[in-house]
Amino acid sequence: MRHFKSTVCGLVAIAGVLAGTSAQADKRTQLSQNDLSIPGWEEVQMRVDLDPGHIAANHRHPGEEVIYVVEGTIEYDVEGKPPATLKAGDVLFVPKGVVHSAKNVGKTNAAEIGTYVVPKGQPLVEWVK
């Protein structure tokens, strides 16, 4: 229970920082969190809804992220790659520690399912300027 509370507090803090990156906010809904068969690792899955024009600023994760766009159009800037614009049904893989950002470039809500494979006990996000 203690680990769950600290994770929830961390996710709330992340949402607060993201909300400050533009006039619009995003909505984060945690879908799952489970220990993996690899000792010390877990998966965290979240739905992230982005208002039009909202930017999730540069950040990185202590493990891999698999992104599945469920609605709208999102432009991703991933370090070392040209910007990629994804629509519903598209998938993006972000390797461990790679800096990336996301922006809703459409005129309607955009949403993604982010699945993170990360070490337990580490912050899910590190913000990068």
Side-chain angles (χ1 to χ4, degrees):
M1 184 67 168
R2 183 177 179 196
H3 176 69
F4 177 75
K5 285 181 181 177
S6 65
T7 299
V8 170
C9 289
L11 294 174
V12 168
I14 290 165
V17 172
L18 284 176
T21 62
S22 75
Q24 294 84 21
D26 63 14
K27 178 182 174 194
R28 296 178 164 267
T29 306
Q30 185 168 333
L31 304 174
S32 69
Q33 180 177 6
N34 294 286
D35 290 346
L36 298 176
S37 60
I38 305 165
W41 287 77
E42 66 182 348
E43 67 79 22
V44 177
Q45 190 171 65
M46 303 192 72
R47 177 183 169 116
V48 180
D49 288 88
L50 303 166
D51 287 336
H54 181 77
I55 299 171
N58 282 340
H59 62 282
R60 65 177 144 229
H61 307 285
E64 281 73 24
E65 178 183 14
V66 179
I67 298 166
Y68 176 77
V69 178
V70 293
E71 67 180 272
T73 306
I74 305 173
E75 181 179 277
Y76 295 91
D77 284 317
V78 178
E79 183 178 52
K81 296 185 177 186
T85 301
L86 279 65
K87 296 182 181 194
D90 292 337
V91 176
L92 178 69
F93 176 78
V94 181
K96 174 184 176 181
V98 173
V99 176
H100 58 287
S101 64
K103 179 180 181 180
N104 179 347
V105 294
K107 297 185 185 299
T108 62
N109 185 67
E112 68 175 40
I113 303 295
T115 303
Y116 308 89
V117 177
V118 293
K120 290 177 71 167
Q122 290 190 21
L124 186 61
V125 173
E126 177 189 349
W127 299 103
V128 179
K129 292 186 181 196

